[in-house]
Amino acid sequence: MKKYFALLSIVFACLSFSGCGYNSLQGLDEEVKAGWSEVENQYQRRADLIPNLVNVVKGYAKHEKETLEGVIEARSKATSTTISAEGLSNPEMFKKFAQAQQGLSQALSKLMVVVERYPDLKANTNFRDLQSQLEGTENRISVARKRYIEKVKEFNKGVRFFPTNLT
């Protein structure tokens, strides 16, 4: 009877530990990937707004060609530099992606400084709408990045905490 009970205990323990969070880790991994996809989606939204913004500014600030070309070039670099959720673990790829996005942010900042010199442009309805959409998108990027960081934190805790770390 003791051997039977011991064998039954071992089988129960094996079955209990076999599922030690494997499915929850897979779910957390998928949430991390989905979180990163949302970050990429918001960066793409920003990149899609930029050509319209540049075209509106072109009409008013014809002699600001260098700034406008800088924005266009930064957008091109940012949209051509993408990174998948799997590529986030590669520091070089992530650094390149982050630099491209930072370059676009800096170019947009320069464009907004130029806009300050053109009161007629600031009063233009199309420009104000685009600027408002761009500000909203920057907020969405921040929220998406925050959510992504939270998902990564949940995943990392799941990987490190007992008993899922046995999986």
Side-chain angles (χ1 to χ4, degrees), residues 72-154:
I72 292 167
E73 182 181 320
R75 178 193 179 269
S76 175
K77 185 182 266 188
T79 56
S80 68
T81 306
T82 59
I83 189 169
S84 66
E86 291 80 20
L88 290 172
S89 59
N90 182 334
E92 289 178 25
M93 286 177 64
F94 184 76
K95 184 177 180 181
K96 186 177 176 183
F97 177 80
Q99 286 175 339
Q101 294 301 328
Q102 182 64 30
L104 182 55
S105 294
Q106 289 173 346
L108 285 172
S109 295
K110 288 178 186 175
L111 180 64
M112 292 305 147
V113 168
V114 166
V115 166
E116 292 296 320
R117 291 183 261 181
Y118 298 93
D120 291 343
L121 175 60
K122 290 193 312 188
N124 180 293
T125 307
N126 288 339
F127 178 77
R128 284 197 323 248
D129 289 346
L130 288 167
Q131 187 177 21
S132 175
Q133 287 181 27
L134 190 61
E135 289 170 1
T137 300
E138 292 294 337
N139 289 335
R140 288 178 182 199
I141 289 170
S142 295
V143 168
R145 288 177 64 174
K146 181 179 182 279
R147 287 180 182 159
Y148 170 73
I149 290 168
E150 290 297 318
K151 294 298 179 189
V152 169
K153 187 170 96 176
E154 280 182 51

Side-chain angles (χ1 to χ4, degrees), residues 12-127:
F12 179 74
C14 288
L15 289 175
S16 296
F17 285 119
S18 68
C20 283
Y22 177 79
N23 288 337
S24 64
L25 285 178
Q26 297 307 310
L28 290 172
D29 185 44
E30 289 303 315
E31 288 178 20
V32 167
K33 289 176 183 175
W36 181 251
S37 293
E38 182 60 24
V39 171
E40 285 184 313
N41 183 32
Q42 295 308 325
Y43 278 132
Q44 186 61 47
R45 177 183 162 84
R46 176 176 71 173
D48 291 344
L49 287 171
I50 291 171
N52 296 332
L53 189 66
V54 168
N55 286 334
V56 170
V57 174
K58 270 185 189 177
Y60 285 87
K62 293 183 180 118
H63 63 280
E64 299 292 349
K65 186 176 180 182
E66 183 179 315
T67 302
L68 295 172
E69 287 175 353
V71 171
I72 292 167
E73 182 181 320
R75 178 193 179 269
S76 175
K77 185 182 266 188
T79 56
S80 68
T81 306
T82 59
I83 189 169
S84 66
E86 291 80 20
L88 290 172
S89 59
N90 182 334
E92 289 178 25
M93 286 177 64
F94 184 76
K95 184 177 180 181
K96 186 177 176 183
F97 177 80
Q99 286 175 339
Q101 294 301 328
Q102 182 64 30
L104 182 55
S105 294
Q106 289 173 346
L108 285 172
S109 295
K110 288 178 186 175
L111 180 64
M112 292 305 147
V113 168
V114 166
V115 166
E116 292 296 320
R117 291 183 261 181
Y118 298 93
D120 291 343
L121 175 60
K122 290 193 312 188
N124 180 293
T125 307
N126 288 339
F127 178 77

